Amino acid sequence: MAIELSAVRYRYAGASRPALQSVDLRLDPGRVLGVAGANESGKTTLCLVAGGFAPGVVGGRLEGSARIDGAETTSIPAHALALHCGLLFQNPATQLSNTTATVFEEVGFGPCNLGLAVSEVIERVWWALKTVGIEDLAPRDPARLSGGQGQLVALASVLALRPRYLILDEPTSELDPAGTALVGEALARVAAETGAGILLVEHKTEVLARIADEVVVLREGSVALAGPAAAVLADSILAELGVEPPARVALERDVRAAGLDWPAALAEGIG
Amino acid sequence: MDLLRRWVARQFTTRVIVLMPVAIAINIVLGATIQQALKLPIYLDSIGTILVGVLAGPLAGALTGILANLIWGYLLPAPVGSSTIGPFAITAGVIGLLAGIWGQLGLFRPRRTGAVNVIGAVVAVVLVGALAVYTYARAYASPEAFNNNVSGNSAITIDQSKVFFLVVMLVYVVLVAWAIFLRRNVGAVYAIGAGLVTGIAAAVVSAPIAAVVYGGVTGSGTDALVAAFRAGGDSLYQATLKQGLLSDPMDKMITSFVVFFIIGSLSRRFIARFPNGERALGDEAEAGAPAASES
Amino acid sequence: MASSAPGAGLPEYVTRRAGGFYRSANPSTKLAIAALEVVAAFVVPGWPGPLLVLGAVLATAAAARRLRGLGVIALAASPIVGSILLVNLFLLPGASDPIARFGPLAPTWSGLWFGLQTAARLFAFSAAIALVYLTTAVDDLLADLARRGLGRRAIFVVGAAVQMVPRTIERAGEIVDAQRARGMDTEGRFWQRARGIVPLAAPVVFGALTEVEERTMALDARAFSAPGRQTLLRVPADRAPDRVLRWAAVLAVVAIVGLRVAGRLG
């Protein structure tokens, strides 16, 4: 039971170069895998391929094997993909269905599409709202929320389908620090309470430092670095790969570079 | 039967379903604001319809047009809502249908200004011109000739039909010249020609609707033209047809021109994902100009 | 908020039933009645058709407290009504009973008669349809059509389009302001206005189009293309009077058209 990418090579329809050159990756349920990398390094493509949306929804050519719980993603019909992997993107506004008047109905959009019984839909909606922590937003108009709230609603809408894996493509990139904090906390809660496997692409390595178990760094469509989060984020090669390390790591590096000690107590305190 | 169902399903992928409301919104917003700003019988309210037709196929295009009219007329409150546009949903459907056919024929592809393409363009102009000559001669014939189904030079009221026909062709030539000389894109000839034909069809379909539902008037300046034709003895249908043949082809030519450039400006990657995208794009070699940057 | 407690069924803000005379009627019934009114206005010859319809619509609107909305419609329709009156007054072909002569212009009685009739017909038609949307929320209409089998794709297209139009207008307004701040002239002469259109229309169009890809994936990520009927969380009531009225309206439409075709309506 995992998402497994083996020797995956992928090219978009109408593109001249492959976006992913050769990627091996594994995401287990209950684990949080962070993905970092410079722009155009293939992070978004990785999300689409891991979730089965590429080539399923966006076309293109996939070589190698991308499997979700043992089944090749190409063999899963498009509408069933959402049941395995919930996908979240950067812009909260474009993830709204634009057909609902309240957050409650918006979160229920997915379960309603599946044709579930009304009682089941209600139960799933409340569960999703509770897990993400936004029950008080239920009566609000989804079009009138802040960016952070919008992303939380998107997260709840996707959770309502009870997927085993969650794939998030830079969910905080368009949010201010308050929104980022909201989403980060919600993700931590989701990871803890639902046992879902989470693939989190993030530019803000702080978020990765907080909740990721392992981190993978991409460069030009292939994996340049992989390993436990703490180790990867402290690796000095990050800057070359176009990734800014978390503030704590940078601070520690500067302190040591100035010849001072980095006392263990401080390390634990900032942690 | 199953083939039909599959042809229908192919045109309505999720991506098309997402594009349609966007196209409808573009129709309505541009239509309302441009009409206000320019106060000409140029509506530009079919941009979305033609775009969907070319990218997704005739059925999707037709439905976009029909729904846009119905929503604009019946589901949106004033001042945006238009109280007179609803019944013309049929016309809008025809426009979308035709756009889908033109798209399938590849008439909206960008083409280099090479020998083969220029010859093809000339042929297209001749064909379209011939159709236009016939239509204008019939429509602008004297009322007796029109009602007695007589066509041919002897029945033409020479002045009227020539003037209006020349006006329309002048606009055609101007647009095409701009496309060729400033943008080096001969493909515009086909697109604008398609627009001219679409405009003629739109006028022919709209005339009876305008005549029956609105008595030939729309509350805008063109009513004076209809009135003038009526005063000259034309039947209601003939008068609205004449007025339509003046404004619709120009509007649709300009709209097709705009859609042609919109398609040329979108990335290949974006267009290729639509059901008709491959056909709308043609080969990269044919396109000549470097493909727009990947977005 | 007791009504939103989990396990208590749908919260009240979701079911939100419309209230008031005619407003609480079933949307499909209102559609059927509007269809009947439109047919009556156009198919029944002479004055009875439009006048009866206008009377019915005005009475219903008054009872539903929507007269002001109808007034707005009337205002919006005034240019075309004026046009119709003027054109027919002066230019009805074959009319030979002038009211007066002002040089070459000769308004005729038959022109006035015909013009008024056409205008009344047009106004009846617009009012009948306006009454539907003045008393029905788009949400409710779509939900009712969905219950009767309209597919989720059509529902989505109409629902999303209706929501998107105001948002696109807002965005267009923002772009206009931004361009004005950069010195673009929006009031000037014709050529200036024409040239100003491209910097306005292009961002609106391209902005809307670039969102298509993201929106597509977001929809698929919510199982939009799943087969089968979607669950409806809220459906407008469809009581016995609604059903009776609806069928009566449909039968009346058939009857009127039949009578006209058979030449019995004179």
Side-chain angles (χ1 to χ4, degrees):
Chain A
M1 285 292 209
I3 293 187
E4 288 172 274
L5 270 57
S6 315
V8 158
R9 197 177 154 83
Y10 174 80
R11 189 158 55 92
Y12 285 105
S16 43
R17 291 178 307 113
L20 290 180
Q21 305 271 15
S22 174
V23 172
D24 294 281
L25 192 108
R26 187 191 167 92
L27 174 68
D28 292 296
R31 308 285 287 166
V32 178
L33 175 64
V35 176
N39 288 331
E40 303 294 317
S41 53
K43 307 195 296 283
T44 299
T45 315
L46 182 64
C47 290
L48 295 178
V49 169
F53 275 60
V57 173
V58 303
R61 238 167 67 99
L62 175 72
E63 294 165 44
S65 146
R67 283 204 294 251
I68 301 179
D69 291 344
E72 290 287 337
T73 58
T74 43
S75 68
I76 306 178
H79 62 84
L81 288 172
L83 301 176
H84 295 274
C85 289
L87 242 73
L88 237 86
F89 305 101
Q90 296 163 312
N91 187 346
T94 52
Q95 294 182 83
L96 293 177
S97 70
N98 276 348
T99 57
T100 55
T102 58
V103 164
F104 186 97
E105 290 160 276
E106 181 67 27
V107 174
F109 184 65
C112 284
N113 281 333
L114 291 176
L116 302 173
V118 175
S119 51
E120 169 87 25
V121 172
I122 297 176
E123 190 194 309
R124 288 200 186 197
V125 168
W126 284 122
W127 173 80
L129 290 174
K130 203 162 76 73
T131 308
V132 175
I134 51 170
E135 292 131 298
D136 53 332
L137 289 183
R140 299 270 305 269
D141 178 358
R144 302 231 174 280
L145 299 173
S146 73
Q149 291 170 324
Q151 279 292 44
L152 292 182
V153 169
L155 180 58
S157 326
V158 155
L159 264 186
L161 292 171
R162 301 262 172 107
R164 189 174 284 124
Y165 306 98
L166 272 179
I167 300 180
L168 303 107
D169 184 8
E170 299 202 48
T172 67
S173 73
E174 298 193 10
L175 306 180
D176 60 14
T180 304
L182 266 181
V183 172
E185 278 161 30
L187 281 179
R189 196 165 33 237
V190 167
E193 293 181 18
T194 64
I198 300 184
L199 183 83
L200 175 62
V201 171
E202 259 302 343
H203 232 93
K204 300 175 184 165
T205 41
E206 259 76 25
V207 181
L208 294 182
R210 263 196 71 203
I211 63 177
D213 299 315
E214 281 122 21
V215 170
V216 154
V217 181
L218 291 182
R219 175 172 54 188
E220 289 175 10
S222 35
V223 175
L225 194 57
V232 168
L233 292 175
D235 198 317
S236 48
I237 214 178
L238 275 190
E240 272 175 50
L241 294 171
V243 177
E244 206 178 292
R248 175 188 167 279
V249 167
L251 181 63
E252 181 175 344
R253 207 171 283 161
D254 289 344
V255 165
R256 287 193 201 275
L260 299 170
D261 262 335
W262 182 253
L266 194 61
E268 276 187 37
I270 302 183
Chain B
M1 195 60 225
D2 197 41
L3 205 64
L4 183 67
R5 195 174 305 150
R6 257 185 294 146
W7 181 70
V8 171
R10 213 183 78 89
Q11 287 188 46
F12 290 104
T13 61
T14 308
R15 189 167 281 105
V16 172
I17 299 294
V18 169
L19 179 66
M20 283 172 70
V22 172
I24 292 174
I26 290 178
N27 272 7
I28 296 176
V29 174
L30 282 187
T33 52
I34 289 185
Q35 171 69 304
Q36 253 185 26
L38 289 189
K39 308 201 198 314
L40 277 187
I42 294 180
Y43 320 108
L44 291 192
D45 58 2
S46 307
I47 292 185
T49 310
I50 297 183
L51 186 65
V52 173
V54 172
L55 288 180
L59 221 54
L63 251 147
T64 304
I66 294 173
L67 286 175
N69 270 54
L70 294 180
I71 292 174
W72 196 357
Y74 305 133
L75 286 184
L76 291 174
V80 179
S82 160
S83 53
T84 60
I85 201 97
F88 293 103
I90 305 176
T91 313
V94 168
I95 295 174
L97 188 78
L98 286 176
I101 297 177
W102 307 145
Q104 301 256 10
L105 294 176
L107 295 184
F108 277 78
R109 276 185 223 160
R111 290 162 205 265
R112 240 181 323 181
T113 319
V116 171
N117 283 330
V118 170
I119 292 176
V122 169
V123 170
V125 172
V126 167
L127 284 176
V128 169
L131 174 65
V133 166
Y134 173 71
T135 314
Y136 280 81
R138 276 278 289 122
Y140 291 89
S142 63
E144 306 83 40
F146 183 79
N147 290 325
N148 292 331
N149 267 341
V150 176
S151 67
N153 283 323
S154 57
I156 294 176
T157 319
I158 306 277
D159 298 326
Q160 266 187 13
S161 82
K162 269 209 178 140
V163 164
F164 291 124
F165 172 68
L166 283 176
V167 166
V168 170
M169 289 312 269
L170 184 67
V171 174
Y172 183 44
V173 168
V174 164
L175 289 174
V176 163
W178 184 40
I180 295 183
F181 293 112
L182 289 186
R183 298 276 188 145
R184 308 199 175 290
N185 215 323
V186 167
V189 173
Y190 295 98
I192 301 175
L196 179 55
V197 175
T198 306
I200 292 177
V204 168
V205 173
S206 297
I209 301 176
V212 167
V213 177
Y214 297 112
V217 299
T218 51
S220 65
T222 51
D223 297 345
L225 212 56
V226 173
F229 288 133
R230 287 276 294 268
D234 290 335
S235 72
L236 187 55
Y237 173 66
Q238 190 176 10
T240 47
L241 181 62
K242 281 186 183 179
Q243 185 268 323
L245 279 176
L246 197 53
S247 54
D248 275 318
M250 291 212 283
D251 179 50
K252 300 305 173 276
M253 281 198 287
I254 296 178
T255 306
S256 301
F257 191 49
V258 169
V259 170
F260 176 74
F261 277 117
I262 291 180
I263 292 182
S265 313
L266 295 170
S267 77
R268 287 190 71 87
R269 210 163 101 172
F270 180 76
I271 296 183
R273 296 175 188 175
F274 283 96
N276 221 26
E278 298 288 331
R279 257 196 273 204
L281 283 176
D283 294 322
E284 252 183 278
E286 215 183 288
S293 57
E294 309 282 333
S295 60
Chain C
M1 286 208 289
S3 63
S4 62
L10 286 172
E12 194 209 274
Y13 49 79
V14 170
T15 51
R16 49 183 189 273
R17 299 223 174 279
F21 177 78
Y22 208 63
R23 275 180 276 166
S24 55
N26 183 274
S28 298
T29 303
K30 286 185 261 188
L31 270 183
I33 293 180
L36 170 63
E37 286 167 345
V38 168
V39 167
F42 275 97
V43 173
V44 177
W47 283 104
L51 285 184
L52 275 172
V53 168
L54 265 178
V57 170
L58 284 170
T60 321
R65 300 176 191 281
R66 288 285 187 259
L67 269 183
R68 182 133 56 113
L70 272 191
V72 172
I73 304 295
L75 215 59
S78 47
I80 176 174
V81 166
S83 257
I84 291 179
L85 283 177
L86 276 177
V87 168
N88 282 301
L89 182 62
F90 288 99
L91 293 170
L92 190 70
S96 50
D97 45 354
I99 306 173
R101 277 194 196 278
F102 309 105
L105 296 175
T108 58
W109 286 114
S110 12
L112 182 63
W113 199 235
F114 185 71
L116 280 174
Q117 217 178 71
T118 311
R121 202 176 295 149
L122 184 67
F123 191 55
F125 162 66
S126 309
I129 298 187
L131 188 61
V132 176
Y133 81 62
L134 284 174
T135 54
T136 316
V138 175
D139 278 1
D140 286 337
L141 178 60
L142 291 176
D144 199 55
L145 292 175
R147 171 223 269 146
R148 292 178 207 289
L150 189 61
R152 75 180 74 184
R153 292 190 166 91
I155 305 274
F156 175 82
V157 171
V158 176
V162 169
Q163 278 204 20
M164 245 188 235
V165 169
R167 196 168 315 153
T168 313
I169 293 182
E170 263 177 47
R171 195 187 304 183
E174 285 166 18
I175 295 177
V176 170
D177 290 337
Q179 301 282 32
R180 270 207 203 119
R182 277 194 216 121
M184 188 187 78
D185 182 3
T186 51
E187 297 299 315
R189 286 179 351 227
F190 174 75
W191 265 127
Q192 286 163 314
R193 275 181 287 145
R195 253 192 320 169
I197 285 193
V198 174
L200 281 182
V204 171
V205 171
F206 284 106
L209 288 178
T210 45
E211 286 185 355
V212 168
E213 200 55 40
E214 290 176 20
R215 288 187 189 277
T216 305
M217 292 199 283
L219 275 189
D220 274 324
R222 285 158 182 75
F224 184 69
S225 41
R229 298 268 304 250
Q230 57 178 144
T231 310
L232 298 168
L233 284 184
R234 44 187 307 272
V235 250
D238 193 15
R239 294 168 292 240
D242 290 311
R243 281 196 289 262
V244 166
L245 259 181
R246 194 161 57 241
W247 281 111
V250 170
L251 286 173
V253 168
V254 173
I256 293 182
V257 173
L259 283 175
R260 176 64 186 256
V261 164
R264 295 302 198 87
L265 281 178

